[in-house]
Every structure is written in structure tokens, then in C-alpha cells.
Amino acid sequence: MNDNKALVAAFLTAAATKGMLDAVREQGSDAVCWWICGMGDVTLQLPHLRAAFQKIFDERGMVIMPLRMIGEGDYVAVESLTDCRLHNGDEYKNTISHWITLSDSKI
């Protein structure tokens, strides 16, 4: 695995274990942008998304498991599967694509 893929894998692990906001704070550059299709840039909403996820999902939150990665230069594309459980016990699984740009080993 190349260095950029390893950095992205570590970032997704941190997002799953610490939460997206903390992962972005620790591994994101000053210019980090979290963009969601249909919503646009949600970077400033990450604290609110954390609270919303805590209301929806059990204590594990949203676990993002990379299925495959393609890296070229400073760009890494990730296909991942979310593994979440709602408070009522129902499972929520979704396939998500991430397009990540790295700069100086930061997301």
C-alpha cells in the first residue's frame, strides 16, 4: 500500500474510532473540505453531524470500512462500506465513495 493510501486508511480508522470531527482536526489540513453529494461542503457542520449521529446510531457511531482504494499522486479514491447500528438494533449499511486529496501528508 502506498503512503497516501495508508494515510487515508488511518484517517478512516480515526473517523470510526474517534469521530469525523476529531479525525479532521488531527489529520486534516487547514484547507480541509468535507463535501457530501446533495449537501455540498459540510465542514462547518461536522460538530452538528456528530451530535446527529449520536442520536441515530449506537455507541459505535459510523464505522467506515474501506473495500478498495485507488491512489494516483496526491489523490486517493476509496470505496467503503458503512457498518452502523441504530439505537433500536436495526443495522444500517451503505456503500460510500470518498475522493480524497492529500497535501503534505494531510487530508
Side-chain angles (χ1 to χ4, degrees):
M1 183 180 299
N2 73 25
D3 290 344
N4 285 343
K5 288 183 192 176
L7 288 169
V8 169
F11 172 74
L12 293 175
T13 298
T17 57
K18 299 177 181 181
M20 289 184 289
L21 182 61
D22 288 339
V24 166
R25 284 181 178 151
E26 291 174 6
Q27 299 181 29
S29 72
D30 291 339
V32 70
C33 172
W34 196 290
W35 186 92
I36 298 175
C37 184
M39 295 177 68
D41 182 357
V42 298
T43 309
L44 297 177
Q45 298 171 359
L46 287 177
H48 307 293
L49 289 175
R50 172 190 270 183
F53 283 1
Q54 288 173 338
K55 290 178 183 176
I56 297 168
F57 302 121
D58 71 5
E59 66 279 351
R60 293 181 314 143
M62 180 180 283
V63 177
I64 302 171
M65 301 175 302
L67 299 173
R68 57 187 132 263
M69 293 188 209
I70 299 171
E72 185 173 313
D74 289 337
Y75 300 95
V76 178
V78 183
E79 179 184 11
S80 65
L81 179 66
T82 60
D83 181 16
C84 312
R85 189 170 298 114
L86 304 177
H87 287 292
N88 67 6
D90 289 348
E91 291 189 0
Y92 173 78
K93 296 183 186 283
N94 199 358
T95 302
I96 300 175
S97 295
H98 306 268
W99 298 85
I100 298 173
T101 305
L102 293 106
S103 177
D104 295 326
S105 299
K106 294 280 189 176
I107 303 293

